[in-house]
Amino acid sequence: MKKNLLLCLGFAVLAVFGANAAEPTMNWAKLIESESGQVTPEDMIESGDKVYTAARFQSKSNADLLGVCFGDALDVATGAQNNATSGNYNLLLAQTDRAGAPQWYAYTNYGDVYSASLGATSDGGIVATLMVRHTNKNEDGSNRVLSVVDAKGTTTAMELTYTAWTYHIAVLKFASDGALEWNKLIPVGDGTNDLKAWTAIDASDNVYIGGCHVLPFSVDGVEIASPKDENSLYLVKLTSTGNFVKQFAITGTTVTDYLDALTIADETVYATGRIKGDGTNSAYFGNFEITPTTYDDVYVAAFTTDLEPKWASVVYATPWVAPSDGKKTHTTQIKGIDVSDGRVLVSGLVKGGFSTANDTDADGVSASELIHTSSASLEGYVLEFSATDGSFDKALIHGTGISGYFAATVSDNDIYACGYSYASGEGGVLVKFDENGNKQSSWNLVTSSGMLTGFSSSFSGKTLYASYRNRNADFNFIGSDFVIPATDDWSGVVASFNVADIESGIVALPDVNGATVCGMDGAIRIVSEKAETFSVYDIAGRLVKSVVVEGEAAIAMPAGFYVVNGEKVIVR
């Protein structure tokens, strides 16, 4: 095992919290490091009292160096042995409790995994959807496209006759104890590597899978809508046991359309992606028409759980015009979609800008442009739409050079975006924008020299889960003396942050008992489904009020910091 992994054994998992209650604080952080290559965090979500982390780790030819660590636990998984020049990417799936204590691990030890997306089920389990191909062109001749080792040590092989080194969809359902309950392999055969498959789960544990395909493919004998000349989005519904139910098919004549992120909230399926055409042709989400530009515009669409379109909306891309020669270019990357406080928030990176109308002239100028990058570098952005009807509200941009956003949430009409920035003095950032889209505050959650990059992030009430990657530099965390030492190769870090006490406070969230405690102007708002006693303590630890709440109550309190049933609350 590498020397720096052994150094990690000497560090406590939990942070030494700072005294400034107006800052986020780190709850815990874990290093994920491969013995023989790189690590890429893929997804990180909370479900009940559990946290699930998916990461890809590289393995290369040396049979003695195929392992990966998770925090101070060494060799929790073993990847595929192979002779590929660039190695093989394997999946690590870890379940921890909310304090970061590991519960179990599952992993793949055959099959080259390109991407992974997670969705939590009501029984405490998890669905992982992968894009995968045979290890190094099926070098061992076994026709295994994937081999999964679950938390019980049981190995399950998924086979597909090798004809070409192309990608396929694998759906894995794990029980709450880490046992693999069922699996489904969907042969696709696409050769491009820009085809992540996204997962979302509804209240009945039906599984939704969305992404983009170039070649026709079928699910349970049903042909998925044939792609056009370029990439085409797909959206498929499966039962809780993986059987095909229904698909949505976009119609029209657009050149390219992707599904880049997927989520479910209030029994509505929300999808977002890039879409472009020739400026005159149209795409249809049911009866909802979109006429995209020649750049990568961003659409958002809402569906019933039967995949019937409810609405579709678009924000148009505007180009970056090079000062030197006037060349016009644009890049859109979409990294996440969140639904918060009745709003749909799309996060990602952009070069150029966005506008509310398809009115860019021959010089690359749009009269209705909303935001624009400060340079030719990609910068983090958030687009906000109404969750009810898709009407567009605002666009936000980081504005300080190379950066990216991966998740966003709303609190008191302010938007908080999580990501990273290469700007001097920044790193893994959490940024607050006011209701007018103006940047108000920024916190460096993680600092590290070199090229710290953000990856999948998610907000769950007071907790932010975020992931990063770097090499040859220590990871330092806000409000903490905890340090993860530098690694020689690209390693991943996954972390949990308490964001309840930042300025106006992300405090409106359910606790594990189903109650909601929220600080507001001059009061503490409590919503409880059943009669429960709530004890309010001041900053000195004195009990100042005790009330029984069933339903909703507002408790008048002077401005200050309070603790209600163990949770911090700010009254302004």
Side-chain angles (χ1 to χ4, degrees):
M1 186 55 64
K2 293 183 179 180
K3 179 179 179 182
N4 58 291
L5 296 190
L6 298 177
L7 289 174
C8 286
L9 294 172
F11 291 91
V13 173
L14 293 179
V16 178
F17 295 139
N20 185 355
E23 286 191 338
T25 50
M26 187 196 75
N27 296 322
W28 54 266
K30 303 279 188 180
L31 172 70
I32 308 175
E33 186 183 15
S34 169
E35 288 185 306
S36 61
Q38 302 180 13
V39 169
T40 303
E42 287 288 319
D43 209 351
M44 192 178 186
I45 63 173
E46 180 185 288
S47 176
D49 59 351
K50 306 298 182 186
V51 179
Y52 290 96
T53 297
R56 295 185 302 134
F57 68 98
Q58 202 173 25
S59 61
K60 296 185 178 178
S61 58
N62 191 328
D64 295 325
L65 294 174
L66 300 176
V68 65
C69 84
F70 186 84
D72 57 8
L74 309 182
D75 289 329
V76 299
T78 303
Q81 186 172 354
N82 65 95
N83 295 311
T85 302
S86 58
N88 185 83
Y89 275 98
N90 316 276
L91 175 73
L92 170 66
L93 177 63
Q95 184 200 78
T96 70
D97 64 19
R98 293 177 66 185
Q103 306 294 300
W104 54 257
Y105 307 98
Y107 59 94
T108 63
N109 62 3
Y110 197 89
D112 190 20
V113 178
Y114 172 72
S115 68
S117 174
L118 301 179
T121 55
S122 63
D123 60 0
I126 194 79
V127 173
T129 300
L130 319 180
M131 291 299 293
V132 62
R133 61 184 180 177
H134 295 77
T135 293
N136 193 25
K137 303 178 182 179
N138 196 38
E139 71 172 44
D140 69 351
S142 68
N143 286 323
R144 286 178 299 166
V145 70
L146 194 67
S147 181
V148 183
V149 182
D150 69 13
K152 305 300 183 180
T154 301
T155 300
T156 301
M158 303 169 67
E159 295 185 0
L160 181 67
T161 301
Y162 179 82
T163 57
W165 206 25
T166 53
Y167 289 97
H168 311 281
I169 301 170
V171 187
L172 311 174
K173 167 58 167 68
F174 294 89
S176 60
D177 63 359
L180 182 63
E181 290 188 334
W182 56 263
N183 66 85
K184 188 179 190 72
L185 181 63
I186 303 173
V188 178
D190 275 338
T192 179
N193 62 357
D194 193 19
L195 304 177
K196 179 168 182 173
W198 291 83
T199 296
I201 312 294
D202 69 17
S204 300
D205 288 338
N206 296 302
V207 179
Y208 298 79
I209 300 172
C212 174
H213 65 130
V214 176
L215 299 176
F217 70 97
S218 298
V219 181
D220 294 343
V222 179
E223 183 176 347
I224 302 308
S226 297
K228 300 178 289 297
D229 294 336
E230 301 283 344
N231 297 340
S232 292
L233 69 86
Y234 67 86
L235 178 57
V236 173
K237 177 180 179 179
L238 307 178
T239 67
S240 61
T241 54
N243 298 315
F244 177 84
V245 177
K246 195 175 182 181
Q247 66 168 308
F248 164 76
I250 190 172
T251 59
T253 57
T254 53
V255 176
T256 303
D257 42 79
Y258 297 82
L259 194 154
D260 289 319
L262 186 67
T263 192
I264 292 180
D266 300 322
E267 290 303 281
T268 298
V269 181
Y270 296 94
T272 184
R274 295 159 288 160
I275 186 168
K276 71 178 180 181
D278 64 7
T280 62
N281 50 16
S282 297
Y284 294 89
F285 293 80
N287 295 323
F288 302 97
E289 180 182 7
I290 289 177
T291 303
T293 70
T294 57
Y295 302 107
D296 281 330
D297 303 335
V298 175
Y299 76 84
V300 178
F303 304 84
T304 67
T305 52
D306 287 329
L307 297 186
E308 296 297 329
K310 300 172 70 173
W311 55 258
S313 188
V314 66
V315 170
Y316 300 97
T318 56
W320 168 261
V321 182
S324 58
D325 58 9
K327 183 178 179 180
K328 295 182 285 294
T329 55
H330 179 95
T331 301
T332 298
Q333 295 181 12
I334 296 174
K335 298 299 184 180
I337 182 170
D338 298 280
V339 180
S340 177
D341 195 28
R343 310 172 205 189
V344 180
L345 305 171
V346 177
S347 306
L349 297 81
V350 65
K351 172 186 173 183
F354 294 110
S355 78
T356 55
N358 185 355
D359 62 356
T360 301
D361 62 23
D363 295 322
V365 177
S366 166
S368 55
E369 189 172 56
L370 302 160
I371 54 173
H372 203 81
T373 52
S374 59
S375 69
S377 300
L378 289 166
E379 294 186 18
Y381 72 86
V382 176
L383 303 175
E384 178 188 319
F385 303 81
S386 164
T388 303
D389 60 11
S391 56
F392 176 77
D393 191 351
K394 66 174 69 73
L396 317 172
I397 195 159
H398 193 71
T400 58
I402 299 174
S403 54
Y405 291 152
F406 292 78
T409 194
V410 177
S411 175
D412 291 343
N413 290 321
D414 298 321
I415 294 179
Y416 295 80
C418 176
Y420 74 96
S421 171
Y422 283 180
S424 177
E426 295 189 320
V429 295
L430 177 64
V431 183
K432 173 189 172 183
F433 296 86
D434 66 20
E435 59 185 331
N436 297 314
N438 301 310
K439 188 185 290 187
Q440 296 293 300
S441 306
S442 182
W443 299 270
N444 290 323
L445 303 177
V446 180
T447 55
S448 181
S449 59
M451 299 179 67
L452 175 76
T453 306
F455 283 85
S456 173
S457 304
S458 63
F459 289 90
S460 181
K462 304 174 190 180
T463 304
L464 165 63
Y465 298 100
S467 58
Y468 307 93
R469 193 171 80 155
N470 204 358
R471 64 177 179 180
N472 300 324
D474 294 349
F475 291 87
N476 301 279
F477 300 88
I478 190 169
S480 171
D481 295 328
F482 180 66
V483 177
I484 292 180
T487 60
D488 296 331
D489 210 334
W490 294 102
S491 295
V493 165
V494 292
S496 165
F497 298 92
N498 182 340
V499 293
D501 295 336
I502 54 177
E503 297 208 345
S504 64
I506 301 176
V507 293
L509 67 136
D511 65 15
V512 294
N513 295 317
T516 297
V517 179
C518 176
M520 53 193 294
D521 290 338
I524 297 173
R525 179 175 177 266
I526 299 174
V527 180
S528 181
E529 297 176 356
K530 59 183 179 179
E532 185 174 348
T533 300
F534 292 84
S535 300
V536 182
Y537 294 85
D538 65 14
I539 196 70
R542 296 182 293 257
L543 178 65
V544 294
K545 193 162 291 189
S546 181
V547 296
V548 175
V549 176
E550 181 176 9
E552 181 176 345
I555 305 170
M557 299 295 295
F561 295 96
Y562 298 92
V563 176
V564 182
N565 287 15
E567 304 291 350
K568 298 177 184 176
V569 174
I570 302 173
V571 175
R572 296 180 297 282

